[in-house]
Structures are given as structure tokens and as C-alpha cells.
Amino acid sequence: MDLSKEQLLSPGSDYEQTRFRRSYDARESFDLDSDLDATEFLQSDPLTSSKPSTGNSSTLPRNRWLRKPSSCFAGRSTKCIIGCLGVFALVWLALSAGGFFAFKKYKQSPPDGLSPPWYPTPKGGSARSWADSYRKASEMVAKMTLPEKVNVTTGTGWKMGPAVGNTGPAIHVGFPALALQDGPLGIRFADNATAFPAGVTVGATWNKELMYKWGNAHAIEARKKGINVILGPCIGPLGRMPAGGRNWEGFGADPYLQGIAAAESIKGIQDEGVMATIKHLVANEQEHFRQPWEWGLPNAISSNIDDRTMHELYLWPFGDSIKSGVASIMCSYNMINNSYACGNSKLLNGLLRDEMGFQGFVMSDWLAQRSGVSTALAGLDMTMPGDGEFWENGKSFWGPELTRSILNGSVPLDRLNDMVTRIVAAWYQLGQDDETKYDRKGPNFSSWTDDPEGVSAPGSPTDQEMVPVNKYINVMGDHALLARQIAAEGTILLKNNGLLPLTRDTHTLSNETRRRDGPLQVAIFGEDAGPGEGPNRCPDRGCNQGTLASGWGSGSVEFPYLITPVGALSRSWKGNENVKLSTYLTNKPPFAKQPAILEDAQLCIVFANADSGEGYKAWENVKGDRPDLFLQKGGDDLIMQVAQGCHGGDGDVLVVIHTVGPVVMEKWIDLPNVKAVLLANLPGQESGNALADVIFGDVNPSGKLPWTIGKTLDDYGDGAKIMYIPNGIVPQQDFKEGLYVDYRHFDKYNIEPRFEFGFGLSYTAFNFSDCVVRELRKKSAFPAPRPKDFAVPPEYNTTIPDKEEALFPESFRKLEKYVYPYLDDIDDIVSDPYPYPDGYDVKQPPSGAGGEEGGNPDLWDTYVAVSVNVTNTGDREGKIVPQLYLEYPQGVSTIDFPVKVLRGFDKLPLEKGESKTVTFNLTRRDLSYWDTKAQNWAIVTDGEYRFLVGRSSRDIAVSGSW
């Protein structure tokens, strides 16, 4: 057995668990089977409850089978209906692995057999950098009443405040309600705010400075809109599956790239005093079956991951995020090793807090909390949006139920105190007590209406006074310049056979010498070049029409404007008598009826795209996850038609792709007159301007692929394929490929990609030389012993408060469906011995990998420095991204290692003929692998490490060893 595959997050291979874990008060039924009683997920789709829109969208009902009637049912054929019902019954019986007799069993959450218990929750306040904030927080929390503490931890309910997430205040001690808003592309549902390029575009820049500025600009706008917590950046999904619906929200399919980008953007956000939220923890790699009942199944998919893979891939960027001081982490909808992420004690208590030293608070994704008491014990600190099983019903797993659980002893007061202290400490840590930055008035915009006035809690049917809700404050500043720069640097030149850059002022192409009679005939093709019906045509950007600048879902924003490619290119040639421009903004131009469209064109620019998004929406056959890796809306056919017909087949063709992820290009990439290909990712509001900058050479392309482009989906391996059909009522997705995701898989199996990870061309050329390796610290197998905590977490009086404290105040006017911390009566509260979860009384030894934010401090010390000289040998200035890949010692260990892993990158601007030295500092963590036996990070002390430096994962220029 491969040692790296032993133990699925378990401390011992013989760990068994044969009983369902129960974390509920036997007297109170609220927490019992709390995630299991639904017969359909939603009465109406929650996340589409956006502002009024004239656009239509295809919104997925939470029950997949109720999405729309088939033609069979629509035709009312009795035989057909009976046949369809018979097929449905057979499929359901097969899925249930035992028929409907097994259904009742599977209505319970499955046993946490592969995710062992880890209790109790380690308290926050032990880290040096948070000590002062925890001191302040403890003084405030000690004065709070029980309802105030519960108020801080529980959302007020969907649409029960101006933001997408709103907590209650602790009025008597001066702690305000917090406003939480999506990200990560900008401020969701807000007016007069920037639509930034998507995370994948930021990742494609490979520019740490831009990663920081992207986060910082976002935070400036959020703060000026009155937002306390940005729900971003996103590093989960990692990108295991290239067709995954939300991959575009993250930075790329490599943990190191994701980690660096996350850390830089978190610093940018939090330097402005706004709390960042890193999400989604963890392994939420596909949209299909991510939530219970979303596809007719009573439980979400379980991502089953071995210990080493969890550490080296999926948790890796969370480690960088915690090291950077992130205030909040959002747990995901799915299960990890058959335990829901927001109730997984091993994940939240053991890995996140003990091992990685997380000092902030854990919030649930919206309705990802699946029970009450058990999630509190497992390490959840804040529930969002406050509702429990259903949206806008006011029945929370916490709120009054958490108050009741404290009074009856099922949730220790000590745990609630830690939950509240973590949230308040984060508020102090970001300086939000400074009223010159946060005026305590809350958001100055509404997520639910564009009107100047509205009600404070539009989710409640109770009559309310109309109040000002939208002040229309413009917070964009000069951020359009930054958005344009990121979009340009995130554009990747995949192919260039002498076509680019073009010029604006001559009748010949810039790199051609052949003369033409008359003006240059340029034709632009494709719906993706134009405006369509506007960028905000569909709520949450949930359709593919016009030029693609964003994916869809909660990570999308309202575009203040969108510069289209055709608009920017037209302006670039405006007034130029040497260029005649024709545009055909459709994927089905009338080529047959009007052959001159192609025959007359000398330069053809063709646009195509591929879209996806969050699973609560569908567009055509894209139900969150893409069904394949091909271009959509006939894009491949359009490119081939244009290439074959452009100027009779000898015209020059430039292909521009906007996409959420890798697309297969094999049908047309090698066509001889496809001279150049640009992959512009998801560029945001400045799309056309940024593209024109690159096409005309104002910006030398420097983007690099943040994932691999294969020749087929099969090239990525079996683990890269979406599970479109469930393999059981509790879908099980085994991550059997382990560490071998994206380029690691291609390397391991010697598969030739079309374009490798890290690839991207330039208009100039660069040379690498003189690789120098300097040892700064000697090799040792394991890190230094775990240091003692810098500070002692706060302690409070743990006497259960008087029950009377929990009652609604007299003459209190309640809003229907609003989540309050108060109780109507206290007569039924009885304190009996509580059946805590299995393993709750087992003392856990502290992890040797822990000790501070991000883990053992020794993991972050630099052990090796690798320096390389880089020279611009071309004829123009440009930016180069030197990339360092680590090769573990070969033949000295039974441990299976990837061929190489990314462990360093930088971006250097170089003038023509200029040279610079780039130095990569490799930490102990960078050099280590996760030892499943020792349960610690380990360095291979025998043999030689090799450091490979070059232009991409397969274009290695120089190397050194240690």
C-alpha cells in the first residue's frame, strides 16, 4: 500500500465508526435529523431573489426532476407517461441500492466513518499577532448578555437586512450588526461599483502586485459601501475538474498558485480594514449534488480524500490564507469523507484550528449548516444567512435554538463564548471599531431593490416603515485603470505566427511585408465580440449572451458598463482610411447567402466562448458545471468556417476566446491560417479596452495559463470528470487520483498537452542563465518542536445565565420570519446530561505541525534560495514570469512524488536588452511532503532536490540542486 494513501484524515488506520453520530438534545427535536426532513429543497430559488430585472433566466429548481416537464409529459400520452414513470422508478431503485426500503435510512446523514471526531474546539487568542485584539474582544464579550452573544453568531435571515448576510448587534456593549457581501469579483447587487476581472484572470497574470491591488481596490469599494466582510477570495474549488462550474472564481488549478494569489489578495483586502473570507472549505469541486435536495437526493455529495492529498493539495492554499491573517473562512456545502464540511470536527477543529492555527471565525456557506448543536461543537462560529433548512422561513438552527441549547446545557457556554470572541476579535483586528472608517450605519445600498426607499427587512411580510435604502454612492474611483491592467496582463497569447501585434495606422499587418491593393479588409465575427442585450441581461449573469466577461452565480456583480471587443477595436481603427471594418456579431453569419462576407475579408477576427457558474442556475445544457470542454453556441464551427473561408482560405485569422476554464481546441488550432490565438479569460468591465491593448501591442502579452489545456477531456484523467449521474442516494466521489491533478497528472502519465500549465507567449524573447542554489538552513526530517502558545485564550464565567434573560423584551415588536435570539417561553427548558458526540471526551494531542498562524513557524522559514538571471533578448520591452518547479529526490524513498510541483514564481518587467536576477526563497513547507505516519510535514533528507526554472511547466531553461 502506498504510504501516501493511508488513512483518510484518520489518526489510525484501524479507526472504525459503526454508529451514526448524534449531536442533538434528546428533549428537543429541532436538531434531530435537522437536515433530513425536507421533501423538496425550496419553494422558490433563494439565490435568484435578486433585484427586479427585465431579463429572463433559466433557474434550476432545487429538485432536479422538477426542472421542466419533458415532451413526453407535455404531450399527455398515457403510454409515454407510464413508461417515463417506470424508467424513473427503476433509476430511483437502482440509486437507492436497496430500493425505497433503504430510503429512510439514507434520510439520515451518513456516519462520519472516514472523518474521525476532534473535540473540543481549540480556543482562539493564542497567536502573537491577534493577542491585543483578543484582549479587547474579551473585555467586550464579558459584558454581553446571552441574547447578544447569540445575535453576533446568527444571521438575521435571508433578505432581513441590506446585505446578503446580516448579523444582529450587541447594542448594550456597542458591537454593531455586521454586513457580509459577495465577492469575489466586486460588490454583488451594488450600484456604482467596479466589475473587476474574475479570479481566474487575476491568477493568469501571475503578478503578485496585481493580486494585492485587486483585493485592495475591492475592499476600498466595499468599505465605502458600508460592508464589513467580503465573501472572497475563492480558492475552493481548486480546479480538480476542468469543467467545474465555479473554477473561474479561483486563481488556477495549482495549490501553490492559489495560495500565493489568495494571500496577496487577502492582504490587499484587510489592509483597507475589511474582513476577507476565504472559501470554500473544502473540496467543493463540482456543482452537481453539492447540496441536499438540489438534485432530488437527501444528502450532498461526499468528497472522499486521503490525508496526504488533503494537506498537499486542497488545504494548502488555506494554509497561506491563514498565515496572511485572514479573518474568516467559509465552510462548503458538500461532505468531506461523509461528514458535512460545516459540521466536520476533524476539519474545523483538528486541521483548521489546532494544526493550522486559525484565529478568525468560521462561517457557513448560505444554508450549508445542516444541524444546530453538532455544528457548534464541531467548530462553526457563525451561521449564514440565519435560516435553517429553507430560505426566508425564519426557522434557524441557531438563533433562539442556540439560546435554548445554552440554557439546557447541550452547547457549553464556553463554546459560545469562543464563537463570539472570535468574531469580535476579528472586528478589532481589522480596526472596524474606528468610526472614522465605519460609521456604524451599515450599508448605504440595498441588495434587494434599486429604488431610493424600501423596508429594512424585505424578507418579512410584516408591515414596515419605508426608509432610505439606496444612496447611489459611486465608489469606483480610478479602479477602471486597474481592472484594465489586470485584464490585459491576464490575457494569454497561445499562438502567434507573425500576425500580432497589429497596427492602427497602416494598410498592412505589422509583421507582414506583402502589399495589398486598397484598404485592409477586416471582418469581426461572433456574438462574443458584441454587447448582446447588455451585460446585466440575466440575473446573476446567468446566461451566455453577448461578450463573456464573467461567469454566473453569487460571485457575479452588476456591471456599471462593459467595453465590448467590437467597440474597442472599432474605435482603434476609426477614421483610418487604410482599414475597412465589417462586423457580424452572430455565431451564424449568412455565409451561404452572402459568400462575399468571407471572400473579401483579408483579416478575420473571430470570437467564441464557454460559460459556467454556480449550480442554482442553468443555461441551456450548462447546469452549473459544463457538460464538456468545447466552445459553446457553435463556437468551434464558427472558427472553422471563418478559417476555411477567410479570403478564400488564405486570409489571416485571429481567434479570441473568453472562457471560464480550459477548452479543447483540436478542431481548429492547427489550421494554417489561424495565425494567432488569444485567451482572454473573464476580463470584467474593461474587456474590450484590455484586449485592444494587447492586440495592438500597447501591452506586451504576459499572461500564463493557470491550468493545462489538454487535447481531450480524457487527457485529464478519470478524476477530472464531473459526476453528472449520482452513484447512490449519498453520492460518493473518491479522489483516487490523489496528488495528480492538472499538470501533475499530465506529467505522471507522460501525456502531451496542447498547451501546458504556465504557458504563454510574448512579443519579445527572454533568456535564462546562471542558476545558483544557496543553502540557508540544513536539512532535517521534521520541523522544530511546536512552540508554546504566545498568549492564553480568554476565560469567562461559565455559569449558565438566568433563563429570564432569554425572553423577548416587553413590548418588543417582532418581524415575522426575522431570526431573533430570544425565546417566547422558558418553561420547557430542562437541563439533563447531554449525549455528546463520540470522541467528545477524548483529549487530542496537539499537532506537531501547529503552533502559530499557518502552522509551525519553522514551516515558514526559508531553507534554500535559488537565483536565476533573466535577460530580454527581443526587440521590445516586456514582462516575463520565471517559474520554479521542485523535483523531489529520486530513488531514495518509497513515497510517491509528482514529477514536479510549482514552488515559486515572480513577474519581471524588462526593457529591451535588460537583465535582472530573480531569487526564489523556498520555505521548509515548500520542500516538504505530508508524512501520514508522523502526522507532520517532512523533508527528504537523502538524495538531491532539483530546482527547475523556466517559462512554463514544460519549458525548463535552467536547473540547480540541493
Side-chain angles (χ1 to χ4, degrees):
M1 182 181 190
D2 182 355
L3 292 178
S4 69
K5 292 297 183 69
E6 277 195 351
Q7 309 158 347
L8 298 179
L9 295 186
S10 173
S13 59
D14 60 342
Y15 179 83
E16 295 179 359
Q17 189 172 21
T18 58
R19 294 176 295 169
F20 284 85
R21 182 176 302 165
R22 296 184 179 273
S23 300
Y24 59 88
D25 189 317
R27 299 170 307 286
E28 300 295 334
S29 63
F30 194 85
D31 206 284
L32 173 57
D33 292 337
S34 57
D35 55 336
L36 313 168
D37 296 333
T39 55
E40 61 184 60
F41 191 77
L42 292 174
Q43 291 80 28
S44 62
D45 197 296
L47 299 182
T48 57
S49 300
S50 57
K51 298 181 181 181
S53 172
T54 58
N56 298 319
S57 68
S58 174
T59 300
L60 281 175
R62 290 296 168 176
N63 188 327
R64 185 186 183 192
W65 313 111
L66 300 179
R67 217 171 263 144
K68 63 180 181 179
S70 67
S71 57
C72 172
F73 284 95
R76 296 176 183 167
S77 164
T78 302
K79 290 183 179 180
C80 190
I81 291 173
I82 293 173
C84 289
L85 289 173
V87 171
F88 178 87
L90 287 172
V91 171
W92 191 255
L93 284 168
L95 289 177
S96 63
F100 286 102
F101 296 106
F103 183 76
K104 187 173 183 180
K105 168 186 174 184
Y106 283 102
K107 285 187 72 180
Q108 300 182 67
S109 295
D112 301 340
L114 300 179
S115 190
W118 208 109
Y119 300 100
T121 303
K123 294 179 182 179
S126 60
R128 179 186 300 271
S129 59
W130 284 71
D132 190 52
S133 295
Y134 267 88
R135 179 188 58 77
K136 294 176 182 177
S138 66
E139 293 173 0
M140 177 179 281
V141 173
K143 301 173 186 175
M144 288 185 185
T145 64
L146 175 58
E148 285 182 318
K149 292 176 181 178
V150 171
N151 233 13
V152 173
T153 66
T154 305
T156 56
W158 183 246
K159 298 174 71 173
M160 297 299 181
V164 297
N166 307 273
T167 63
I171 296 174
H172 297 104
V173 296
F175 188 77
L178 300 181
L180 298 77
Q181 196 77 2
D182 298 303
L185 272 68
I187 309 172
R188 188 187 185 196
F189 294 149
D191 58 272
N192 295 304
T194 305
F196 290 101
V200 69
T201 311
V202 178
T205 69
W206 293 61
N207 187 325
K208 298 175 187 177
E209 181 182 1
L210 289 184
M211 293 166 181
Y212 175 91
K213 288 182 176 180
W214 178 73
N216 188 249
H218 186 178
I220 290 172
E221 297 193 6
R223 182 180 61 78
K224 289 182 178 180
K225 285 288 188 181
I227 296 300
N228 301 90
V229 185
I230 289 175
L231 303 176
C234 176
I235 52 175
L238 176 70
R240 174 184 186 244
M241 302 167 180
R246 299 183 75 178
N247 289 350
W248 58 272
E249 293 185 42
F251 304 105
D254 178 80
Y256 185 89
L257 176 61
Q258 286 261 34
I260 295 298
E264 291 298 327
S265 56
I266 288 166
K267 292 172 186 175
I269 291 169
Q270 297 196 164
D271 280 355
E272 186 58 27
V274 180
M275 300 185 214
T277 304
I278 204 73
K279 62 182 186 181
H280 306 86
L281 183 77
V282 65
N284 187 175
E285 295 295 314
Q286 68 169 57
E287 293 303 286
H288 282 69
F289 321 121
R290 66 175 184 154
Q291 293 189 70
W293 300 113
E294 191 169 44
W295 300 80
L297 301 176
N299 277 289
I301 193 169
S302 178
S303 299
N304 302 324
I305 309 176
D306 69 83
D307 192 13
R308 184 179 172 200
T309 300
M310 177 64 84
H311 281 83
E312 293 187 33
L313 250 64
Y314 298 98
L315 279 182
W316 182 281
F318 286 92
D320 291 285
S321 303
I322 293 170
K323 180 64 176 176
S324 70
V326 69
S328 176
I329 294 178
M330 182 189 294
C331 50
S332 54
Y333 287 115
N334 57 296
M335 289 188 274
I336 295 96
N337 297 333
N338 285 292
S339 175
Y340 278 102
C342 294
N344 190 313
S345 64
K346 173 64 176 179
L347 177 66
L348 303 184
N349 291 339
L351 299 180
L352 201 64
R353 290 185 169 93
D354 175 58
E355 186 180 303
M356 299 166 72
F358 178 54
Q359 299 296 301
F361 61 95
V362 176
M363 75 168 72
S364 72
D365 203 339
W366 271 228
L367 252 62
Q369 183 188 28
R370 304 307 305 158
S371 60
V373 172
S374 63
T375 54
L377 299 179
L380 186 67
D381 301 307
M382 179 186 287
T383 180
M384 277 289 142
D387 305 289
E389 290 178 305
F390 299 98
W391 298 81
E392 289 186 64
N393 67 358
K395 297 179 181 179
S396 180
F397 288 132
W398 283 2
E401 297 300 326
L402 181 55
T403 300
R404 186 183 303 276
S405 297
I406 294 295
L407 294 177
N408 67 25
S410 51
V411 172
L413 183 56
D414 211 33
R415 174 78 268 265
L416 176 61
N417 286 336
D418 180 60
M419 293 155 59
V420 182
T421 305
R422 285 176 173 273
I423 296 167
V424 177
W427 182 74
Y428 276 117
Q429 184 77 352
L430 274 298
Q432 293 190 5
D433 56 320
D434 181 353
E435 295 190 43
T436 63
K437 286 192 171 184
Y438 283 89
D439 58 14
R440 311 286 179 94
K441 296 179 181 179
N444 50 44
F445 72 99
S446 170
S447 298
W448 319 116
T449 180
D450 290 325
D451 296 334
E453 292 190 334
V455 296
S456 298
S460 173
T462 304
D463 288 339
Q464 301 169 60
E465 179 186 1
M466 296 289 285
V467 295
V469 292
N470 280 308
K471 297 184 179 179
Y472 310 108
I473 295 174
N474 189 324
V475 296
M476 292 186 285
D478 62 354
H479 294 158
L481 297 174
L482 176 63
R484 182 172 180 169
Q485 183 183 1
I486 293 171
E489 285 204 28
T491 297
I492 303 160
L493 180 61
L494 294 177
K495 181 179 180 180
N496 190 24
N497 292 343
L499 179 61
L500 297 179
L502 304 179
T503 60
R504 294 180 173 89
D505 56 359
T506 68
H507 72 284
T508 61
L509 303 185
S510 60
N511 288 327
E512 288 191 358
T513 57
R514 58 193 176 111
R515 304 189 65 81
R516 303 177 187 274
D517 295 327
L520 176 67
Q521 303 282 337
V522 179
I524 295 176
F525 299 95
E527 181 182 320
D528 184 66
E533 298 181 59
N536 300 324
R537 168 69 173 81
C538 298
D540 286 344
R541 318 294 74 80
C543 60
N544 187 353
Q545 60 85 39
T547 191
L548 184 66
S550 164
W552 73 67
S554 61
S556 64
V557 297
E558 305 296 310
F559 278 75
Y561 63 84
L562 175 55
I563 305 297
T564 64
V566 71
L569 292 173
S570 297
R571 284 189 291 275
S572 296
W573 279 311
K574 185 177 181 179
N576 189 341
E577 297 179 354
N578 292 322
V579 176
K580 181 180 179 181
L581 179 64
S582 303
T583 60
Y584 307 92
L585 306 182
T586 172
N587 283 16
K588 295 181 179 180
F591 293 140
K593 292 183 179 181
Q594 302 177 44
I597 291 175
L598 284 173
E599 291 173 359
D600 293 345
Q602 298 164 318
L603 170 63
C604 297
I605 306 176
V606 56
F607 288 78
N609 66 35
D611 197 4
S612 70
E614 195 168 353
Y616 67 85
K617 278 186 169 292
W619 168 79
E620 294 191 356
N621 66 340
V622 185
K623 298 172 175 62
D625 306 306
R626 288 186 286 164
D628 52 50
L629 297 185
F630 297 112
L631 292 169
Q632 295 166 2
K633 308 186 80 168
D636 290 301
D637 292 337
L638 175 64
I639 294 170
M640 289 189 293
Q641 288 177 334
V642 170
Q644 291 163 2
C646 186
H647 204 256
D650 68 358
D652 295 324
V653 177
L654 165 62
V655 176
V656 179
I657 303 296
H658 291 112
T659 180
V660 292
V663 291
V664 173
M665 305 175 175
E666 295 310 295
K667 294 180 180 179
W668 47 266
I669 189 66
D670 286 328
L671 294 177
N673 63 331
V674 174
K675 294 291 183 67
V677 178
L678 284 169
L679 193 147
N681 292 295
L682 300 173
Q685 67 185 40
E686 288 289 321
S687 173
N689 286 335
L691 183 66
D693 289 342
V694 173
I695 287 177
F696 292 108
D698 302 325
V699 173
N700 195 336
S702 61
K704 304 293 180 181
L705 285 175
W707 21 250
T708 300
I709 296 180
K711 297 179 179 179
T712 68
L713 175 58
D714 288 338
D715 284 353
Y716 294 86
D718 291 339
K721 297 177 180 178
I722 302 289
M723 181 190 291
Y724 297 106
I725 299 174
N727 57 9
I729 281 190
V730 183
Q732 300 291 310
Q733 192 162 70
D734 298 333
F735 287 38
K736 294 179 180 178
E737 74 285 350
L739 304 174
Y740 297 100
V741 170
D742 200 76
Y743 70 92
R744 302 174 184 219
H745 170 84
F746 282 79
D747 287 349
K748 180 179 178 65
Y749 296 102
N750 198 28
I751 299 169
E752 186 67 26
R754 170 53 64 178
F755 297 110
E756 71 270 20
F757 175 82
F759 177 82
L761 299 175
S762 171
Y763 296 152
T764 187
F766 300 93
N767 182 64
F768 292 73
S769 63
D770 303 324
C771 181
V772 177
V773 178
R774 292 186 298 117
E775 179 182 78
L776 301 180
R777 299 189 65 175
K778 296 289 185 181
K779 294 178 185 177
S780 58
F782 298 109
R786 174 174 177 151
K788 293 182 178 179
D789 292 343
F790 173 80
V792 177
E795 294 289 341
Y796 301 93
N797 184 344
T798 57
T799 303
I800 294 177
D802 191 316
K803 297 175 185 178
E804 299 286 336
E805 188 177 287
L807 290 171
F808 271 98
E810 290 185 14
S811 303
F812 188 92
R813 183 176 183 267
K814 292 188 284 186
L815 297 180
E816 187 179 348
K817 297 185 178 181
Y818 195 97
V819 179
Y820 296 102
Y822 302 110
L823 300 175
D824 288 307
D825 65 77
I826 54 176
D827 294 338
D828 60 344
I829 296 175
V830 179
S831 297
D832 288 333
Y834 180 75
Y836 286 108
D838 294 343
Y840 190 79
D841 57 354
V842 177
K843 184 175 177 58
Q844 301 287 343
S847 170
E852 255 291 347
E853 276 190 291
N856 191 315
D858 192 18
L859 293 172
W860 301 93
D861 285 343
T862 300
Y863 273 59
V864 180
V866 179
S867 299
V868 175
N869 291 333
V870 186
T871 303
N872 184 343
T873 58
D875 59 2
R876 64 173 66 209
E877 64 82 29
K879 293 181 179 180
I880 180 65
V881 180
Q883 301 164 37
L884 182 145
Y885 294 86
L886 170 69
E887 181 183 289
Y888 288 91
Q890 301 295 303
V892 296
S893 172
T894 59
I895 301 296
D896 183 30
F897 292 110
V899 174
K900 57 181 172 292
V901 293
L902 180 69
R903 284 296 184 263
F905 67 87
D906 205 347
K907 195 161 197 174
L908 306 177
L910 292 172
E911 297 294 330
K912 175 184 175 181
E914 184 182 10
S915 295
K916 287 183 181 178
T917 299
V918 59
T919 299
F920 304 98
N921 293 316
L922 283 87
T923 66
R924 168 179 273 278
R925 181 174 179 253
D926 293 330
L927 299 160
S928 299
Y929 70 96
W930 182 253
D931 187 321
T932 59
K933 291 293 187 184
Q935 287 293 290
N936 208 338
W937 293 98
I939 283 180
V940 182
T941 54
D942 297 327
E944 285 190 338
Y945 282 81
R946 292 190 67 221
F947 306 110
L948 316 173
V949 183
R951 302 168 187 85
S952 73
S953 62
R954 294 207 169 188
D955 186 358
I956 304 302
V958 293
S959 64
S961 60
W962 176 53

